[in-house]
Amino acid sequence: MIKKEVYKTIAVLVSLLLVVLLGLIVGIDMIPIHDVINYLFNLAPIENDFALGELRLPRVLSGMVVGASLAVAGLIVQGIIRNPLASPDVIGVTSGASVAAVLFLTYLSDSMGVQWTPVFAVIGAIITFFIIYLFSLHPSITANRIVLIGIGLASLANALIMYILVMSASFSSERAYLWLIGSLYGVSWLETISSFVSFIVLFIIIMWSKRKFELYSYGDAVAMQLGLNLKRFRILFLFFSSLLCGLSVAVAVGIGFIGLLTPHISRRIVRNHTSLLFITTAGIGAILVLLADWIARIAFQPLDIPAGVFTSGIGAPFFIYLLIKKRNSL
């Protein structure tokens, strides 16, 4: 069984590689695959080095990071809350990160510099996660009701964002608005490298702690008997998920439902191995975002549509399906 799941995980990673190549080759202008290989391995100079090196490659790598971060964050949230409806955007964490970032861009960016935006996005995500966690400690609050509370927090956060944009000076609100509707278009190498390195570090730490996640999946009673500190575990993994969510929001704000959809797909591929589940989830999340961004680039030329339009178009009906399926337990 494990050997079969290893092959499935390898197939996901190979598919990710093919999607990456698709994103590098196909655009407004086609770049031959041999030029892509020459550029990536520094074998020979190519004619399209600017389009490939400054536009497509950072965008593709950033899309991988955003998709993988949201997917792994969704897997963690669904595992901790034990609810298939949960994900960072559905329970309001993405909106919380956006509120903190908009507050910073509106009132503090002139004095501190816009490079601090990711830090404030992460802080907003952490604060929102722990508000939801405090709700979860009350014995009368079920896992399904936590999702509904999160939806309410997301609506409150979005209303707060609109209030900030309306009440702030026009030049400040314009800066924040452009950030809110931003896609992967125009992402810089500095953002790409910093987000890529941050994700790799976080993912290694999560994989190192995966045994605790596996114990928790057996249920509270069994996990406690096996020596797991439930409170410490929940706080630790919620913190990891907050960092991943804030990282993705800092790069591309409006990409929703990846954290909801991807864990359901990956669990159908890998069922019996925690490490492979995390790797598969990250790979599928990256594939979904890259495909959505590629369609956004190609389908409406010369317009560049945000990738979140397509992920929401798929994720929203799936969320409604899950709501209907679990309607008796809400």
Side-chain angles (χ1 to χ4, degrees), residues 171-204:
F171 67 91
S172 298
S173 61
E174 182 180 355
R175 179 189 303 159
Y177 180 73
L178 289 173
W179 181 82
L180 280 171
I181 64 172
S183 65
L184 294 170
Y185 174 76
V187 65
S188 68
W189 268 113
L190 178 62
E191 293 175 306
T192 301
I193 294 173
S194 59
S195 61
F196 191 83
V197 172
S198 299
F199 171 76
I200 293 298
V201 172
L202 279 171
F203 192 73
I204 290 174

PDB file of all heavy atoms in Angstrom, residues 171-204:
ATOM      1  N   PHE A 171      -4.453  58.522  -1.814  1.00  0.00           N
ATOM      2  CA  PHE A 171      -3.215  57.874  -2.275  1.00  0.00           C
ATOM      3  C   PHE A 171      -2.912  56.633  -1.448  1.00  0.00           C
ATOM      4  O   PHE A 171      -2.379  55.640  -1.966  1.00  0.00           O
ATOM      5  CB  PHE A 171      -2.042  58.861  -2.226  1.00  0.00           C
ATOM      6  CG  PHE A 171      -1.636  59.277  -0.835  1.00  0.00           C
ATOM      7  CD1 PHE A 171      -0.677  58.580  -0.130  1.00  0.00           C
ATOM      8  CD2 PHE A 171      -2.222  60.386  -0.233  1.00  0.00           C
ATOM      9  CE1 PHE A 171      -0.299  58.971   1.145  1.00  0.00           C
ATOM     10  CE2 PHE A 171      -1.854  60.784   1.043  1.00  0.00           C
ATOM     11  CZ  PHE A 171      -0.895  60.073   1.740  1.00  0.00           C
ATOM     12  N   SER A 172      -3.255  56.650  -0.156  1.00  0.00           N
ATOM     13  CA  SER A 172      -3.025  55.476   0.691  1.00  0.00           C
ATOM     14  C   SER A 172      -3.991  54.353   0.348  1.00  0.00           C
ATOM     15  O   SER A 172      -3.602  53.183   0.250  1.00  0.00           O
ATOM     16  CB  SER A 172      -3.175  55.854   2.171  1.00  0.00           C
ATOM     17  OG  SER A 172      -2.222  56.811   2.556  1.00  0.00           O
ATOM     18  N   SER A 173      -5.268  54.704   0.154  1.00  0.00           N
ATOM     19  CA  SER A 173      -6.252  53.678  -0.177  1.00  0.00           C
ATOM     20  C   SER A 173      -5.987  53.074  -1.549  1.00  0.00           C
ATOM     21  O   SER A 173      -6.215  51.878  -1.767  1.00  0.00           O
ATOM     22  CB  SER A 173      -7.666  54.270  -0.143  1.00  0.00           C
ATOM     23  OG  SER A 173      -7.799  55.306  -1.078  1.00  0.00           O
ATOM     24  N   GLU A 174      -5.476  53.876  -2.472  1.00  0.00           N
ATOM     25  CA  GLU A 174      -5.149  53.353  -3.801  1.00  0.00           C
ATOM     26  C   GLU A 174      -4.039  52.317  -3.719  1.00  0.00           C
ATOM     27  O   GLU A 174      -4.095  51.274  -4.366  1.00  0.00           O
ATOM     28  CB  GLU A 174      -4.740  54.498  -4.718  1.00  0.00           C
ATOM     29  CG  GLU A 174      -4.435  54.045  -6.143  1.00  0.00           C
ATOM     30  CD  GLU A 174      -4.039  55.200  -7.039  1.00  0.00           C
ATOM     31  OE1 GLU A 174      -4.097  56.352  -6.587  1.00  0.00           O
ATOM     32  OE2 GLU A 174      -3.670  54.933  -8.195  1.00  0.00           O
ATOM     33  N   ARG A 175      -3.033  52.602  -2.898  1.00  0.00           N
ATOM     34  CA  ARG A 175      -1.934  51.649  -2.711  1.00  0.00           C
ATOM     35  C   ARG A 175      -2.455  50.339  -2.124  1.00  0.00           C
ATOM     36  O   ARG A 175      -2.105  49.247  -2.580  1.00  0.00           O
ATOM     37  CB  ARG A 175      -0.881  52.265  -1.794  1.00  0.00           C
ATOM     38  CG  ARG A 175       0.302  51.353  -1.499  1.00  0.00           C
ATOM     39  CD  ARG A 175       1.175  51.945  -0.412  1.00  0.00           C
ATOM     40  NE  ARG A 175       1.644  53.271  -0.786  1.00  0.00           N
ATOM     41  CZ  ARG A 175       2.072  54.179   0.094  1.00  0.00           C
ATOM     42  NH1 ARG A 175       2.058  53.901   1.383  1.00  0.00           N
ATOM     43  NH2 ARG A 175       2.514  55.352  -0.322  1.00  0.00           N
ATOM     44  N   ALA A 176      -3.316  50.431  -1.094  1.00  0.00           N
ATOM     45  CA  ALA A 176      -3.858  49.231  -0.471  1.00  0.00           C
ATOM     46  C   ALA A 176      -4.775  48.474  -1.426  1.00  0.00           C
ATOM     47  O   ALA A 176      -4.762  47.243  -1.470  1.00  0.00           O
ATOM     48  CB  ALA A 176      -4.618  49.612   0.804  1.00  0.00           C
ATOM     49  N   TYR A 177      -5.577  49.212  -2.202  1.00  0.00           N
ATOM     50  CA  TYR A 177      -6.495  48.569  -3.139  1.00  0.00           C
ATOM     51  C   TYR A 177      -5.736  47.809  -4.216  1.00  0.00           C
ATOM     52  O   TYR A 177      -6.091  46.672  -4.555  1.00  0.00           O
ATOM     53  CB  TYR A 177      -7.398  49.624  -3.774  1.00  0.00           C
ATOM     54  CG  TYR A 177      -8.393  49.048  -4.759  1.00  0.00           C
ATOM     55  CD1 TYR A 177      -9.495  48.324  -4.317  1.00  0.00           C
ATOM     56  CD2 TYR A 177      -8.221  49.217  -6.130  1.00  0.00           C
ATOM     57  CE1 TYR A 177     -10.409  47.789  -5.213  1.00  0.00           C
ATOM     58  CE2 TYR A 177      -9.128  48.683  -7.031  1.00  0.00           C
ATOM     59  CZ  TYR A 177     -10.217  47.980  -6.565  1.00  0.00           C
ATOM     60  OH  TYR A 177     -11.104  47.446  -7.452  1.00  0.00           O
ATOM     61  N   LEU A 178      -4.680  48.403  -4.726  1.00  0.00           N
ATOM     62  CA  LEU A 178      -3.875  47.719  -5.736  1.00  0.00           C
ATOM     63  C   LEU A 178      -3.257  46.448  -5.170  1.00  0.00           C
ATOM     64  O   LEU A 178      -3.129  45.438  -5.868  1.00  0.00           O
ATOM     65  CB  LEU A 178      -2.781  48.658  -6.258  1.00  0.00           C
ATOM     66  CG  LEU A 178      -3.256  49.809  -7.143  1.00  0.00           C
ATOM     67  CD1 LEU A 178      -2.096  50.750  -7.455  1.00  0.00           C
ATOM     68  CD2 LEU A 178      -3.873  49.294  -8.422  1.00  0.00           C
ATOM     69  N   TRP A 179      -2.876  46.498  -3.904  1.00  0.00           N
ATOM     70  CA  TRP A 179      -2.313  45.303  -3.275  1.00  0.00           C
ATOM     71  C   TRP A 179      -3.392  44.232  -3.110  1.00  0.00           C
ATOM     72  O   TRP A 179      -3.147  43.043  -3.343  1.00  0.00           O
ATOM     73  CB  TRP A 179      -1.722  45.673  -1.916  1.00  0.00           C
ATOM     74  CG  TRP A 179      -1.091  44.516  -1.205  1.00  0.00           C
ATOM     75  CD1 TRP A 179       0.156  43.996  -1.393  1.00  0.00           C
ATOM     76  CD2 TRP A 179      -1.695  43.714  -0.190  1.00  0.00           C
ATOM     77  NE1 TRP A 179       0.359  42.921  -0.554  1.00  0.00           N
ATOM     78  CE2 TRP A 179      -0.759  42.735   0.195  1.00  0.00           C
ATOM     79  CE3 TRP A 179      -2.941  43.735   0.439  1.00  0.00           C
ATOM     80  CZ2 TRP A 179      -1.024  41.790   1.168  1.00  0.00           C
ATOM     81  CZ3 TRP A 179      -3.208  42.791   1.412  1.00  0.00           C
ATOM     82  CH2 TRP A 179      -2.252  41.834   1.769  1.00  0.00           C
ATOM     83  N   LEU A 180      -4.615  44.639  -2.724  1.00  0.00           N
ATOM     84  CA  LEU A 180      -5.691  43.676  -2.486  1.00  0.00           C
ATOM     85  C   LEU A 180      -6.085  42.916  -3.744  1.00  0.00           C
ATOM     86  O   LEU A 180      -6.408  41.728  -3.689  1.00  0.00           O
ATOM     87  CB  LEU A 180      -6.921  44.396  -1.919  1.00  0.00           C
ATOM     88  CG  LEU A 180      -6.898  44.717  -0.431  1.00  0.00           C
ATOM     89  CD1 LEU A 180      -8.065  45.620  -0.072  1.00  0.00           C
ATOM     90  CD2 LEU A 180      -6.939  43.446   0.402  1.00  0.00           C
ATOM     91  N   ILE A 181      -6.112  43.605  -4.888  1.00  0.00           N
ATOM     92  CA  ILE A 181      -6.534  42.936  -6.121  1.00  0.00           C
ATOM     93  C   ILE A 181      -5.348  42.342  -6.873  1.00  0.00           C
ATOM     94  O   ILE A 181      -5.506  41.833  -7.970  1.00  0.00           O
ATOM     95  CB  ILE A 181      -7.286  43.905  -7.050  1.00  0.00           C
ATOM     96  CG1 ILE A 181      -6.360  45.036  -7.525  1.00  0.00           C
ATOM     97  CG2 ILE A 181      -8.515  44.450  -6.376  1.00  0.00           C
ATOM     98  CD1 ILE A 181      -6.976  45.910  -8.599  1.00  0.00           C
ATOM     99  N   GLY A 182      -4.175  42.420  -6.276  1.00  0.00           N
ATOM    100  CA  GLY A 182      -2.976  41.963  -6.956  1.00  0.00           C
ATOM    101  C   GLY A 182      -3.001  40.466  -7.222  1.00  0.00           C
ATOM    102  O   GLY A 182      -3.565  39.688  -6.468  1.00  0.00           O
ATOM    103  N   SER A 183      -2.389  40.081  -8.316  1.00  0.00           N
ATOM    104  CA  SER A 183      -2.246  38.667  -8.651  1.00  0.00           C
ATOM    105  C   SER A 183      -0.755  38.347  -8.609  1.00  0.00           C
ATOM    106  O   SER A 183       0.027  39.033  -7.975  1.00  0.00           O
ATOM    107  CB  SER A 183      -2.831  38.399 -10.036  1.00  0.00           C
ATOM    108  OG  SER A 183      -2.093  39.079 -11.024  1.00  0.00           O
ATOM    109  N   LEU A 184      -0.373  37.285  -9.303  1.00  0.00           N
ATOM    110  CA  LEU A 184       1.042  36.944  -9.386  1.00  0.00           C
ATOM    111  C   LEU A 184       1.770  37.775 -10.431  1.00  0.00           C
ATOM    112  O   LEU A 184       2.983  37.638 -10.590  1.00  0.00           O
ATOM    113  CB  LEU A 184       1.190  35.451  -9.720  1.00  0.00           C
ATOM    114  CG  LEU A 184       0.696  34.485  -8.637  1.00  0.00           C
ATOM    115  CD1 LEU A 184       0.654  33.064  -9.173  1.00  0.00           C
ATOM    116  CD2 LEU A 184       1.572  34.567  -7.407  1.00  0.00           C
ATOM    117  N   TYR A 185       1.040  38.631 -11.110  1.00  0.00           N
ATOM    118  CA  TYR A 185       1.651  39.467 -12.141  1.00  0.00           C
ATOM    119  C   TYR A 185       2.626  40.457 -11.503  1.00  0.00           C
ATOM    120  O   TYR A 185       2.321  41.121 -10.520  1.00  0.00           O
ATOM    121  CB  TYR A 185       0.577  40.231 -12.910  1.00  0.00           C
ATOM    122  CG  TYR A 185       1.136  41.229 -13.902  1.00  0.00           C
ATOM    123  CD1 TYR A 185       1.663  40.791 -15.115  1.00  0.00           C
ATOM    124  CD2 TYR A 185       1.155  42.580 -13.611  1.00  0.00           C
ATOM    125  CE1 TYR A 185       2.179  41.690 -16.022  1.00  0.00           C
ATOM    126  CE2 TYR A 185       1.670  43.490 -14.515  1.00  0.00           C
ATOM    127  CZ  TYR A 185       2.179  43.041 -15.722  1.00  0.00           C
ATOM    128  OH  TYR A 185       2.702  43.928 -16.614  1.00  0.00           O
ATOM    129  N   GLY A 186       3.813  40.545 -12.075  1.00  0.00           N
ATOM    130  CA  GLY A 186       4.783  41.541 -11.649  1.00  0.00           C
ATOM    131  C   GLY A 186       5.493  41.228 -10.342  1.00  0.00           C
ATOM    132  O   GLY A 186       6.117  42.118  -9.755  1.00  0.00           O
ATOM    133  N   VAL A 187       5.405  39.998  -9.858  1.00  0.00           N
ATOM    134  CA  VAL A 187       6.100  39.658  -8.618  1.00  0.00           C
ATOM    135  C   VAL A 187       7.605  39.757  -8.830  1.00  0.00           C
ATOM    136  O   VAL A 187       8.132  39.391  -9.887  1.00  0.00           O
ATOM    137  CB  VAL A 187       5.695  38.244  -8.146  1.00  0.00           C
ATOM    138  CG1 VAL A 187       6.160  37.187  -9.129  1.00  0.00           C
ATOM    139  CG2 VAL A 187       6.226  37.955  -6.762  1.00  0.00           C
ATOM    140  N   SER A 188       8.315  40.284  -7.844  1.00  0.00           N
ATOM    141  CA  SER A 188       9.752  40.533  -7.980  1.00  0.00           C
ATOM    142  C   SER A 188      10.554  39.315  -7.537  1.00  0.00           C
ATOM    143  O   SER A 188      10.050  38.423  -6.845  1.00  0.00           O
ATOM    144  CB  SER A 188      10.150  41.745  -7.143  1.00  0.00           C
ATOM    145  OG  SER A 188      10.023  41.463  -5.763  1.00  0.00           O
ATOM    146  N   TRP A 189      11.825  39.310  -7.919  1.00  0.00           N
ATOM    147  CA  TRP A 189      12.714  38.235  -7.496  1.00  0.00           C
ATOM    148  C   TRP A 189      12.929  38.250  -5.984  1.00  0.00           C
ATOM    149  O   TRP A 189      13.089  37.198  -5.363  1.00  0.00           O
ATOM    150  CB  TRP A 189      14.057  38.325  -8.219  1.00  0.00           C
ATOM    151  CG  TRP A 189      14.116  37.527  -9.479  1.00  0.00           C
ATOM    152  CD1 TRP A 189      14.216  38.003 -10.744  1.00  0.00           C
ATOM    153  CD2 TRP A 189      14.074  36.097  -9.589  1.00  0.00           C
ATOM    154  NE1 TRP A 189      14.234  36.965 -11.660  1.00  0.00           N
ATOM    155  CE2 TRP A 189      14.154  35.790 -10.974  1.00  0.00           C
ATOM    156  CE3 TRP A 189      13.972  35.058  -8.684  1.00  0.00           C
ATOM    157  CZ2 TRP A 189      14.136  34.477 -11.445  1.00  0.00           C
ATOM    158  CZ3 TRP A 189      13.950  33.745  -9.149  1.00  0.00           C
ATOM    159  CH2 TRP A 189      14.036  33.465 -10.510  1.00  0.00           C
ATOM    160  N   LEU A 190      12.941  39.454  -5.379  1.00  0.00           N
ATOM    161  CA  LEU A 190      13.108  39.539  -3.926  1.00  0.00           C
ATOM    162  C   LEU A 190      11.949  38.854  -3.214  1.00  0.00           C
ATOM    163  O   LEU A 190      12.161  38.064  -2.281  1.00  0.00           O
ATOM    164  CB  LEU A 190      13.203  41.009  -3.502  1.00  0.00           C
ATOM    165  CG  LEU A 190      13.323  41.269  -1.991  1.00  0.00           C
ATOM    166  CD1 LEU A 190      14.592  40.631  -1.448  1.00  0.00           C
ATOM    167  CD2 LEU A 190      13.301  42.767  -1.702  1.00  0.00           C
ATOM    168  N   GLU A 191      10.719  39.130  -3.654  1.00  0.00           N
ATOM    169  CA  GLU A 191       9.551  38.466  -3.079  1.00  0.00           C
ATOM    170  C   GLU A 191       9.603  36.969  -3.328  1.00  0.00           C
ATOM    171  O   GLU A 191       9.272  36.161  -2.444  1.00  0.00           O
ATOM    172  CB  GLU A 191       8.271  39.046  -3.684  1.00  0.00           C
ATOM    173  CG  GLU A 191       7.980  40.484  -3.322  1.00  0.00           C
ATOM    174  CD  GLU A 191       6.778  41.019  -4.061  1.00  0.00           C
ATOM    175  OE1 GLU A 191       6.772  40.937  -5.316  1.00  0.00           O
ATOM    176  OE2 GLU A 191       5.845  41.502  -3.416  1.00  0.00           O
ATOM    177  N   THR A 192      10.005  36.594  -4.529  1.00  0.00           N
ATOM    178  CA  THR A 192      10.040  35.172  -4.885  1.00  0.00           C
ATOM    179  C   THR A 192      11.020  34.401  -4.022  1.00  0.00           C
ATOM    180  O   THR A 192      10.685  33.348  -3.453  1.00  0.00           O
ATOM    181  CB  THR A 192      10.419  35.020  -6.367  1.00  0.00           C
ATOM    182  OG1 THR A 192       9.469  35.713  -7.185  1.00  0.00           O
ATOM    183  CG2 THR A 192      10.459  33.555  -6.759  1.00  0.00           C
ATOM    184  N   ILE A 193      12.237  34.913  -3.921  1.00  0.00           N
ATOM    185  CA  ILE A 193      13.271  34.201  -3.157  1.00  0.00           C
ATOM    186  C   ILE A 193      12.922  34.143  -1.681  1.00  0.00           C
ATOM    187  O   ILE A 193      13.050  33.094  -1.029  1.00  0.00           O
ATOM    188  CB  ILE A 193      14.642  34.874  -3.379  1.00  0.00           C
ATOM    189  CG1 ILE A 193      15.077  34.714  -4.833  1.00  0.00           C
ATOM    190  CG2 ILE A 193      15.694  34.274  -2.440  1.00  0.00           C
ATOM    191  CD1 ILE A 193      16.331  35.477  -5.194  1.00  0.00           C
ATOM    192  N   SER A 194      12.482  35.276  -1.115  1.00  0.00           N
ATOM    193  CA  SER A 194      12.165  35.299   0.318  1.00  0.00           C
ATOM    194  C   SER A 194      11.006  34.365   0.640  1.00  0.00           C
ATOM    195  O   SER A 194      11.045  33.640   1.644  1.00  0.00           O
ATOM    196  CB  SER A 194      11.842  36.728   0.758  1.00  0.00           C
ATOM    197  OG  SER A 194      10.740  37.248   0.038  1.00  0.00           O
ATOM    198  N   SER A 195       9.960  34.353  -0.207  1.00  0.00           N
ATOM    199  CA  SER A 195       8.817  33.474   0.051  1.00  0.00           C
ATOM    200  C   SER A 195       9.194  32.007  -0.159  1.00  0.00           C
ATOM    201  O   SER A 195       8.757  31.137   0.606  1.00  0.00           O
ATOM    202  CB  SER A 195       7.646  33.848  -0.850  1.00  0.00           C
ATOM    203  OG  SER A 195       7.986  33.710  -2.221  1.00  0.00           O
ATOM    204  N   PHE A 196      10.012  31.727  -1.166  1.00  0.00           N
ATOM    205  CA  PHE A 196      10.422  30.351  -1.449  1.00  0.00           C
ATOM    206  C   PHE A 196      11.250  29.788  -0.293  1.00  0.00           C
ATOM    207  O   PHE A 196      11.005  28.668   0.178  1.00  0.00           O
ATOM    208  CB  PHE A 196      11.217  30.299  -2.753  1.00  0.00           C
ATOM    209  CG  PHE A 196      11.463  28.918  -3.264  1.00  0.00           C
ATOM    210  CD1 PHE A 196      10.508  28.251  -4.015  1.00  0.00           C
ATOM    211  CD2 PHE A 196      12.657  28.269  -2.997  1.00  0.00           C
ATOM    212  CE1 PHE A 196      10.737  26.963  -4.477  1.00  0.00           C
ATOM    213  CE2 PHE A 196      12.900  26.994  -3.462  1.00  0.00           C
ATOM    214  CZ  PHE A 196      11.934  26.328  -4.208  1.00  0.00           C
ATOM    215  N   VAL A 197      12.227  30.562   0.167  1.00  0.00           N
ATOM    216  CA  VAL A 197      13.076  30.106   1.278  1.00  0.00           C
ATOM    217  C   VAL A 197      12.248  29.936   2.546  1.00  0.00           C
ATOM    218  O   VAL A 197      12.401  28.949   3.286  1.00  0.00           O
ATOM    219  CB  VAL A 197      14.234  31.097   1.508  1.00  0.00           C
ATOM    220  CG1 VAL A 197      15.008  30.742   2.777  1.00  0.00           C
ATOM    221  CG2 VAL A 197      15.172  31.105   0.311  1.00  0.00           C
ATOM    222  N   SER A 198      11.338  30.879   2.810  1.00  0.00           N
ATOM    223  CA  SER A 198      10.495  30.796   4.004  1.00  0.00           C
ATOM    224  C   SER A 198       9.632  29.543   3.981  1.00  0.00           C
ATOM    225  O   SER A 198       9.488  28.854   5.002  1.00  0.00           O
ATOM    226  CB  SER A 198       9.610  32.039   4.106  1.00  0.00           C
ATOM    227  OG  SER A 198      10.384  33.211   4.209  1.00  0.00           O
ATOM    228  N   PHE A 199       9.062  29.234   2.805  1.00  0.00           N
ATOM    229  CA  PHE A 199       8.224  28.044   2.714  1.00  0.00           C
ATOM    230  C   PHE A 199       9.041  26.775   2.935  1.00  0.00           C
ATOM    231  O   PHE A 199       8.597  25.866   3.654  1.00  0.00           O
ATOM    232  CB  PHE A 199       7.528  27.969   1.355  1.00  0.00           C
ATOM    233  CG  PHE A 199       6.825  26.664   1.131  1.00  0.00           C
ATOM    234  CD1 PHE A 199       5.618  26.401   1.756  1.00  0.00           C
ATOM    235  CD2 PHE A 199       7.388  25.677   0.327  1.00  0.00           C
ATOM    236  CE1 PHE A 199       4.973  25.189   1.581  1.00  0.00           C
ATOM    237  CE2 PHE A 199       6.745  24.469   0.140  1.00  0.00           C
ATOM    238  CZ  PHE A 199       5.536  24.218   0.769  1.00  0.00           C
ATOM    239  N   ILE A 200      10.226  26.703   2.331  1.00  0.00           N
ATOM    240  CA  ILE A 200      11.056  25.507   2.489  1.00  0.00           C
ATOM    241  C   ILE A 200      11.395  25.281   3.959  1.00  0.00           C
ATOM    242  O   ILE A 200      11.311  24.152   4.477  1.00  0.00           O
ATOM    243  CB  ILE A 200      12.342  25.626   1.642  1.00  0.00           C
ATOM    244  CG1 ILE A 200      12.010  25.614   0.146  1.00  0.00           C
ATOM    245  CG2 ILE A 200      13.311  24.500   1.978  1.00  0.00           C
ATOM    246  CD1 ILE A 200      11.346  24.353  -0.333  1.00  0.00           C
ATOM    247  N   VAL A 201      11.766  26.350   4.657  1.00  0.00           N
ATOM    248  CA  VAL A 201      12.110  26.227   6.081  1.00  0.00           C
ATOM    249  C   VAL A 201      10.899  25.746   6.880  1.00  0.00           C
ATOM    250  O   VAL A 201      11.001  24.822   7.706  1.00  0.00           O
ATOM    251  CB  VAL A 201      12.634  27.566   6.624  1.00  0.00           C
ATOM    252  CG1 VAL A 201      12.800  27.507   8.144  1.00  0.00           C
ATOM    253  CG2 VAL A 201      13.962  27.929   5.970  1.00  0.00           C
ATOM    254  N   LEU A 202       9.747  26.368   6.646  1.00  0.00           N
ATOM    255  CA  LEU A 202       8.534  25.981   7.362  1.00  0.00           C
ATOM    256  C   LEU A 202       8.138  24.535   7.055  1.00  0.00           C
ATOM    257  O   LEU A 202       7.749  23.783   7.956  1.00  0.00           O
ATOM    258  CB  LEU A 202       7.391  26.919   6.986  1.00  0.00           C
ATOM    259  CG  LEU A 202       7.333  28.263   7.701  1.00  0.00           C
ATOM    260  CD1 LEU A 202       6.280  29.155   7.066  1.00  0.00           C
ATOM    261  CD2 LEU A 202       7.044  28.073   9.182  1.00  0.00           C
ATOM    262  N   PHE A 203       8.242  24.152   5.799  1.00  0.00           N
ATOM    263  CA  PHE A 203       7.839  22.801   5.412  1.00  0.00           C
ATOM    264  C   PHE A 203       8.755  21.758   6.045  1.00  0.00           C
ATOM    265  O   PHE A 203       8.283  20.693   6.478  1.00  0.00           O
ATOM    266  CB  PHE A 203       7.866  22.670   3.891  1.00  0.00           C
ATOM    267  CG  PHE A 203       7.192  21.421   3.389  1.00  0.00           C
ATOM    268  CD1 PHE A 203       5.812  21.304   3.409  1.00  0.00           C
ATOM    269  CD2 PHE A 203       7.939  20.363   2.894  1.00  0.00           C
ATOM    270  CE1 PHE A 203       5.181  20.148   2.951  1.00  0.00           C
ATOM    271  CE2 PHE A 203       7.324  19.205   2.437  1.00  0.00           C
ATOM    272  CZ  PHE A 203       5.942  19.103   2.461  1.00  0.00           C
ATOM    273  N   ILE A 204      10.038  22.049   6.123  1.00  0.00           N
ATOM    274  CA  ILE A 204      10.975  21.122   6.779  1.00  0.00           C
ATOM    275  C   ILE A 204      10.624  20.970   8.258  1.00  0.00           C
ATOM    276  O   ILE A 204      10.621  19.855   8.813  1.00  0.00           O
ATOM    277  CB  ILE A 204      12.422  21.612   6.604  1.00  0.00           C
ATOM    278  CG1 ILE A 204      12.852  21.469   5.136  1.00  0.00           C
ATOM    279  CG2 ILE A 204      13.373  20.825   7.501  1.00  0.00           C
ATOM    280  CD1 ILE A 204      14.209  22.067   4.836  1.00  0.00           C
TER     281      ILE A 204
END
